[in-house]
Every structure is written in structure tokens, then in C-alpha cells.
Amino acid sequence: MNEAPVGIFDSGFGGLSVWKECKALLPKEQFIYIADQAYCPYGPKSQEAILQRGRELSHFFIQKGVKLIVIACNTATAAAIKQLREEFPIPFVGMEPAIKPAALASKTGHIGILATAGTFAGQHFKNTREKFAQDVELHIQVGEGLVELVESGKIKGAECRAVLEPFLLPMKDKRIDQLVLGCTHYPFLSKAISDILGNKVNLIDPAPAVARQLKRLLIEKKQMNKSPEKGIDIFFTTASLTSSQLTLKRLEDIIGVEINLSALSLED
């Protein structure tokens, strides 16, 4: 299993922020990434619908012989990871609400959290909040429309700022000094977010912690890829290949590499 690939999925390109950290930490691993843009965004969908989609994606990954699946989506983690771990014979790594590091780092005692409605409704968020946020005040905000901004490549400019300001300015007025990016799409908006909040607010991206957890699991299960060569990754979209490639072009500077995208239909 050492040379078997690792599967990663998200509702779209947001999970590439997780893939990038995983690849930097584990360059020899081969990753198969699915941007499930045919079902994007996951946020407004029911827990059962997200779980069913998670099953379909996991079955595809199993057919491809993956040794582990990373759910690079906070909403899907909240809705499906517990059940998927029970149903499938391989490990899953999901997204953690980064409340603990935000609480430990805060000097003002005020923390902002930007996430989807599905993430806030999940039991994992509620448990993490109860455990780590006793001594700070949380200011939570559903980032409605932000996933769509990233999926259309509109990560800067007047339109992007107009969507972000109503979410961020009230938090700024509350003197937050930490902002948890609770959706894997949001790191693509980091520059625009910082332009609004200023450099005194630290943005917390959970992706590096996910990459470290992936590495820990692979070491624990003795499944690290020992190949001397860098792994060659494969990227799929479940939506229109043409429009998806156009968006990738707009995100390339942040992703840092050129990605060759292929179309995928799970119904075939």
C-alpha cells in the first residue's frame, strides 16, 4: 500500500488549499483530487445529501486503490466523516475547526470565525467550541456567497470586497485579533480579507494541520511512499471542464503550479 495514492475531495477548488499543504509536506505521495463542482456548493445541502455524495466519491477512490481519503471540506467533514469512517475500510482525515489555536493566540479575547452554515450546524464545531472557547468570545459569520466567488475566480476586486465587507467589518468593530477560515475556499480570499481587516488580525488556515495529521497517519500505518520520485498527481472536476479550467487560470498564482484537469462523471 505504500505507493498507493491518497484521495482528496472538496465541493470545488477550495480543497486545493489543503492539497497544496499536503503536497509540500509529502512530495513523494501521489494524490487524486476531485473538485465536485457538479454539486457545489455543499453548504446549503442537507446532511443526508452530502453524506450520499461522500459515499459516491469514496467508492470511486476505493476503485482507484487509494490508501486514505482526505475530506478537504469543513461542511462535508461535519456532515459525513463519522459515517464514512464506519462504512469504509480505509482511514479518513477531515477538517478541524481551528478554535483552539485561535483562542490560545488571542490577546483581545475576541475571535472571528467565517464558515458555512453546514459547518456551524455540525456537532464537531459545537464540541470544539465548548471545549476550547470558554475564555474567549466567538463572533461567527456564515460566509454566504464566498464559495461561489472562489469557484468563479473572483478573489479580488470591487465585487469580492463588496461581498466580504458586510461579514468582516462587524468583526473588526468587535476587536477580533484572530480570524478562523472555516472553509477551505476561504484561504484563496486571504489577501482581500486582510485588506479589509488590516494586518493586526491573524488569519488561521487549518490546512497545514491537516497535512501534518495526514503524515502522522501514514507513518503510524507504515504507508509512507518510499519512492525516490515525486508523486504525479491527478485532478478531476465533475463539472464543465472548460469553465473549470478558466477558473484555475485565475487561481494559479495562489496554487503555485499549473494543474492539468480531467472531467469525471460518477454516473458512468
Side-chain angles (χ1 to χ4, degrees):
M1 287 293 288
N2 294 58
E3 294 184 9
V6 173
I8 304 183
F9 78 86
D10 178 38
S11 64
F13 289 140
L16 290 174
S17 63
V18 178
W19 165 81
K20 182 179 179 180
E21 295 293 337
C22 291
K23 191 65 179 180
L25 190 63
L26 299 162
K28 293 182 180 179
E29 298 295 336
Q30 180 193 25
F31 294 93
I32 301 176
Y33 183 93
I34 299 177
D36 190 22
Q37 292 169 304
Y39 278 69
C40 184
Y42 285 169
K45 292 181 170 60
S46 70
Q47 181 172 329
E48 184 54 42
I50 297 169
L51 173 58
Q52 181 55 33
R53 192 60 174 174
R55 290 184 179 117
E56 293 167 6
L57 294 165
S58 297
H59 279 299
F60 174 82
F61 282 131
I62 295 290
Q63 291 170 359
K64 291 294 183 182
V66 303
K67 57 189 174 185
L68 186 147
I69 295 173
V70 178
I71 303 179
C73 172
N74 297 72
T75 302
T77 298
I81 194 168
K82 183 176 183 293
Q83 190 69 25
L84 293 177
R85 282 171 170 162
E86 293 173 1
E87 294 180 12
F88 289 88
I90 62 172
F92 284 79
V93 173
M95 304 302 299
E96 291 282 333
I99 295 174
K100 181 180 179 180
L104 291 173
S106 181
K107 299 294 190 293
T108 66
H110 291 267
I111 295 168
I113 304 179
L114 198 59
T116 67
T119 296
F120 287 134
Q123 191 60 45
H124 197 34
F125 171 79
K126 294 173 184 176
N127 292 344
T128 306
R129 179 178 189 168
E130 290 173 6
K131 188 173 182 180
F132 297 116
Q134 297 298 317
D135 299 322
V136 296
E137 187 170 348
L138 298 187
H139 304 278
I140 67 174
Q141 174 63 57
V142 175
E144 189 173 348
L146 298 185
V147 168
E148 290 87 342
L149 275 181
V150 175
E151 289 299 311
S152 60
K154 298 173 182 177
I155 57 175
K156 57 185 176 181
E159 183 179 348
C160 178
R161 189 178 183 98
V163 176
L164 283 168
E165 281 187 341
F167 301 153
L168 300 176
L169 292 179
M171 292 188 186
K172 187 175 183 180
D173 291 341
K174 296 290 186 181
R175 300 187 303 113
I176 67 163
D177 62 353
Q178 311 291 320
L179 178 65
V180 177
L181 303 178
C183 170
T184 55
H185 283 78
Y186 299 170
F188 286 99
L189 300 167
S190 291
K191 174 64 167 60
I193 291 171
S194 291
D195 285 347
I196 295 168
L197 291 178
N199 57 16
K200 291 183 179 180
V201 178
N202 179 47
L203 306 187
I204 299 181
D205 176 4
V210 174
R212 292 192 295 270
Q213 175 62 8
L214 170 60
K215 183 176 181 179
R216 280 194 292 269
L217 264 180
L218 292 177
I219 292 172
E220 176 187 311
K221 297 182 177 301
K222 298 181 172 57
Q223 290 184 343
M224 291 278 286
N225 196 322
K226 304 292 177 61
S227 170
E229 305 296 328
K230 186 175 181 179
I232 299 175
D233 302 336
I234 302 170
F235 301 88
F236 291 106
T237 177
T238 59
S240 162
L241 190 57
T242 301
S243 62
S244 297
Q245 286 172 325
L246 286 173
T247 298
L248 269 181
K249 285 292 181 186
R250 296 174 183 172
L251 302 179
E252 254 177 26
D253 286 346
I254 297 174
I255 298 169
V257 295
E258 184 177 342
I259 287 175
N260 295 315
L261 198 61
S262 299
L264 171 67
S265 174
L266 297 178
E267 283 71 40
D268 289 346

